[in-house]
Structure formats: C-alpha cells, structure tokens
Amino acid sequence: MHCQAQFHTTMIASFISDRRFTVCLLLTLLLSLSPAGLIAAEGAGDDDTDACKKNLANLYKAIKAYRADNKDLPPWLSDLVPRYLKDPNALVCPVVKRTGEVKNFGIEDPKISNSYTYEFADTPIPQVIQGGSNHTMKEWKRRQMGLIGSKVPMVRCHHHNPVLNLSFDGRIYESDGGWEAALKDEVDPGDLTPQRLFAADAIKGISSRVQSEIPVRDPKTPANLIDLTKYYNAALTESWHRNSPSEPVASDLSWLPRGIQKFGDVEFDTRGLIQLSSRTLSHPRFASSAKNIKVDQKANRLHFLMGTGWSAPEGSPVASFIIHMANGQQQQFNLLYGTHITDWVSQDMDPRDTKTSMLAWSGRSPATDSQSLLHIFKTQWTNPSPEENITSVDFLGSNGDPAPFLIAITAERP
C-alpha cells in the first residue's frame, strides 16, 4: 500500500517539497472515499454521543430555568433562545451538523430549525407517531407522566443508535426508538398510547351524544320490561359497528320499531342497545361486559332481544347471562353461535334451538341503502326457582369474533 501511494504522489511531488506530507495527504483522501471511510463518516461516534449528551444537559438547565420563571414548560425549544440558552448551536446534534439529515417525526419547531425532538411541544400529535391525534404532544406526555412519572422523555435525539433521551427529571439515558417497551414490567406499553390515554374523553363525548339520540322511557312502561337506559352505549340510529371513522359505514337499526313493541309474542322496551366488545370490535367505548343490570322481581322466564355482529363456527360461545337470585344463588345461561343466535347480517337466519330462540325481527338499514337484510333474535331463559326474586343480571361477552349486543330484557311474570 505504501508503494502504491508513493506511485500516485510522484506526479505532484514538484508542487510540494515534502513528499512524505503528500503521501499522507493522499492516503487520507483515498481512505475517506472508500466504503469503510464513508461508513465511518456517517456513523455517530463516541465523540458525537458525548457532545450530544452535553447539548441535552444544557437543554435541561435551560428548560429548568424557563420553568422557574414561567411556571410551565416552553411551547418549543426555540423559546429558550436567547434568554435561557445563549448558544443556539446546542439545538443541533453533532451528527446532524456532519450529515445534514434531520429526524424529527413531524415535530418541527416553527421558529428555529433544530434536530432534537421536543416531546412536550405545543403541537398536535403527528400522524406518524402512533396514529396521531388532535391532542397535543404536551397533553399526551403529561398523561403518560400520570402513569409512570418523570421517566417520560422530554427531549429525544434519534440520530444515535440507541436513541438518546432526556427525561423529565433530567436523566440522560439510551433506549430503542420505542422507549415504552423498556417499562413493560411496570405498565402495559399500550396503556401509554394516545388512543388509550384519551379514550375516556372520547367515550364521554360519545356517551353524551348517544344518550341524546335515545328516546326517553315512557313512564307508563310496565316494570317487567327492564329499564336499560343507564346501560345503553349505542343508539339504534347509529352505525356503531366500526372501530374507527375511516372504516366503511355500517348498518344500523333505524328501522327497528322503538318504544313498547311486541316481538315473538313478548313485549319489549326497545330504545337503545348494550354492545359488548370482541376480537373484531375493540373500540374503547365497548366493554367486555355489562354487570349488575337491575331486575328486582320474580319471573318464570327472562326474554332477551339481541343480536351479534360477525360469525363463528357452529356451537362457539357468543355471550352468557349470569342471573343473580335474592337467596345468593346464581344461574348461568350460555348463548352459542348458530344454536341461539347468528350474525345479524347473516343469510342463515333461523337458530337451531327453536325451543328457546327464534328470529324476532327482520329489516334493512338506510345507512347502507337497504342493501343488507338484518336479523334480531329473541332467546329465553327458564328460571328453575321462580319463587325466588331475581335481583340482577350480568351480560358477558365470550371475547371471540362475534360481538353480541342486547336491546331489551323482559321478565315474564309468574
């Protein structure tokens, strides 16, 4: 290699008196142009990492001073300059200075370009970060802190592998891109997502709208037509079988008669429905069960008006009812796919167990231009102890593919 370098330098030796300097210079240039040299130039070395950590430490001091004066975090890191951060160069990772490549995942400072991802920025969560949200990064991170405290990263640098993080309490540590996975022994990483953390707000808004769309119970309704008002989580007039607004419009039960109606020779109070979650319907608004539905009366039978979305193999569990008696005993009534109930848009309409279950209503949905024929079923449970008062009923999903929903319960009086 020394001889080869000597050969290349002979033609320019006349321009530089020191031949040894020429050889070393050309060797350096050749090495920098080789693949190995390019890789070394692009990677973040120890010096870059140390310099970046110093930047993060300076940012923490500046943020701490800003908080002391303003009693809040800065909206952007640029708001630290120049009062709290004299040198704006501290906003640029050494790797970025060398490569020019910036990774900020859509969180772009509107005042000063910088290379650090400010996790508490006063900007909506970008779509590329866990699906995005109309809530701000700051709102999201504060809710994460409610679960795991000051371990939440405040500033991150994605130009290193592993990623460098500056936590809310000033600690600088390394992690994978998804830092939440490192805390899986303390908290389910899914609980730290925007969808989970803001689910309660979304459900509250939906619940308020649903209640406004559900007719008021007629005060003349007989007590044996069980009042499900406070348990309803969906309206008959909405397309509720969607996990997100981006999914196609689903069917609804707008054409199902409402109020005191007779289905299968049994009167029901039909005004809304209780939808349970399943593997195919996992929206946070739907729980896996509805418990303690008040009955408080004697009954020979309980009649359930219901349906289910999505299908399953014949005989698969769909839902169950736990009937609680005044004497402390309880009875369990299990509903099986095909035996008691089928998909409400299935062509296979008739349940197999005709002694307890029947097709109670068929209709169509204006939401889908009447393309789908819908089916609602009535199934009944016979009380082995009719002399005992039934205090309450629990409605439980099986957590399979079918997503059962309950429209009404009627207690058949002795």
Side-chain angles (χ1 to χ4, degrees):
M1 182 174 181
H2 174 74
C3 294
Q4 187 177 11
Q6 186 83 8
F7 172 78
H8 284 296
T9 60
T10 53
M11 292 185 292
I12 60 173
S14 61
F15 296 98
I16 302 177
S17 59
D18 189 345
R19 180 181 294 272
R20 287 176 299 175
F21 171 81
T22 304
V23 172
C24 293
L25 175 63
L26 287 178
L27 282 173
T28 301
L29 291 173
L30 288 171
L31 178 61
S32 67
L33 293 176
S34 69
L38 289 174
I39 293 172
E42 291 178 357
D46 292 339
D47 290 344
D48 288 333
T49 300
D50 290 341
C52 188
K53 287 181 178 179
K54 289 180 181 178
N55 282 350
L56 293 175
N58 288 330
L59 285 174
Y60 180 71
K61 292 178 182 178
I63 292 171
K64 188 175 180 180
Y66 182 99
R67 289 182 65 199
D69 287 348
N70 299 276
K71 311 307 178 188
D72 198 1
L73 290 167
W76 294 94
L77 293 180
S78 59
D79 292 303
L80 300 172
V81 179
R83 182 174 179 180
Y84 303 98
L85 189 68
K86 303 299 182 183
D87 184 5
N89 284 320
L91 294 174
V92 183
C93 171
V95 176
V96 174
K97 290 180 181 179
R98 183 161 42 76
T99 65
E101 181 183 5
V102 177
K103 302 175 184 177
N104 55 23
F105 298 94
I107 304 176
E108 298 183 5
D109 197 307
K111 300 172 186 176
I112 298 178
S113 296
N114 66 76
S115 64
Y116 293 107
T117 304
Y118 181 42
E119 298 280 288
F120 283 76
D122 196 8
T123 187
I125 303 170
Q127 186 70 28
V128 295
I129 299 180
Q130 300 194 17
S133 171
N134 291 328
H135 293 277
T136 66
M137 290 292 298
K138 186 177 184 179
E139 291 175 306
W140 177 29
K141 295 302 163 178
R142 281 182 166 169
R143 295 215 176 183
Q144 285 186 332
M145 287 183 66
L147 289 180
I148 60 173
S150 58
K151 298 175 184 177
V152 173
M154 187 162 47
V155 181
R156 309 190 75 199
C157 186
H158 294 272
H159 306 96
H160 303 264
N161 187 16
V163 175
L164 290 181
N165 304 278
L166 170 64
S167 68
F168 194 86
D169 59 6
R171 186 168 60 93
I172 298 172
Y173 65 95
E174 298 178 340
S175 75
D176 293 334
W179 60 270
E180 298 90 344
L183 300 175
K184 62 183 179 181
D185 292 337
E186 300 178 38
V187 63
D188 180 356
D191 289 339
L192 297 172
T193 63
Q195 293 74 22
R196 293 268 184 94
L197 289 173
F198 294 113
D201 295 346
I203 292 172
K204 184 177 180 181
I206 292 172
S207 297
S208 177
R209 176 180 56 77
V210 166
Q211 290 299 322
S212 69
E213 295 182 13
I214 293 175
V216 175
R217 179 175 166 94
D218 188 335
K220 298 180 181 179
T221 304
N224 68 309
L225 277 57
I226 307 303
D227 187 0
L228 301 182
T229 303
K230 71 176 184 179
Y231 308 97
Y232 292 143
N233 58 12
L236 299 175
T237 53
E238 67 168 315
S239 300
W240 76 96
H241 272 182
R242 294 193 294 169
N243 283 307
S244 71
S246 61
E247 293 186 4
V249 173
S251 297
D252 61 36
L253 285 169
S254 295
W255 287 5
L256 181 72
R258 274 161 280 176
I260 301 174
Q261 303 291 335
K262 185 172 285 190
F263 299 98
D265 295 326
V266 175
E267 282 192 337
F268 291 95
D269 178 22
T270 59
R271 294 175 295 117
L273 59 90
I274 304 170
Q275 175 67 64
L276 300 186
S277 63
S278 74
R279 285 198 299 247
T280 50
L281 187 67
S282 58
H283 195 284
R285 67 185 282 197
F286 303 129
S288 59
S289 64
K291 295 184 177 181
N292 200 30
I293 300 172
K294 299 299 183 183
V295 177
D296 291 331
Q297 57 193 286
K298 295 178 181 180
N300 287 337
R301 297 178 183 84
L302 291 180
H303 299 273
F304 304 98
L305 188 67
M306 58 189 305
T308 187
W310 294 275
S311 61
E314 184 84 17
S316 298
V318 175
S320 61
F321 292 99
I322 307 297
I323 298 93
H324 298 273
M325 315 298 290
N327 61 4
Q329 296 182 351
Q330 61 184 40
Q331 303 288 333
Q332 183 165 336
F333 177 39
N334 299 319
L335 277 70
L336 306 179
Y337 190 86
T339 302
H340 305 102
I341 194 171
T342 61
D343 186 349
W344 70 315
V345 295
S346 172
Q347 297 303 312
D348 187 10
M349 299 180 294
D350 296 320
R352 305 289 183 268
D353 188 356
T354 56
K355 292 181 180 180
T356 63
S357 304
M358 63 177 293
L359 176 65
W361 176 85
S362 292
R364 296 183 184 274
S365 168
T368 56
D369 296 324
S370 302
Q371 296 298 310
S372 300
L373 182 62
L374 309 177
H375 316 298
I376 298 301
F377 301 89
K378 181 187 79 70
T379 188
Q380 68 183 32
W381 168 79
T382 300
N383 188 358
S385 305
E387 71 284 355
E388 287 291 336
N389 210 54
I390 299 174
T391 58
S392 64
V393 170
D394 297 336
F395 179 37
L396 313 175
S398 64
N399 200 33
D401 286 337
F405 57 89
L406 176 65
I407 299 170
I409 301 175
T410 294
E412 182 182 318
R413 288 171 172 161

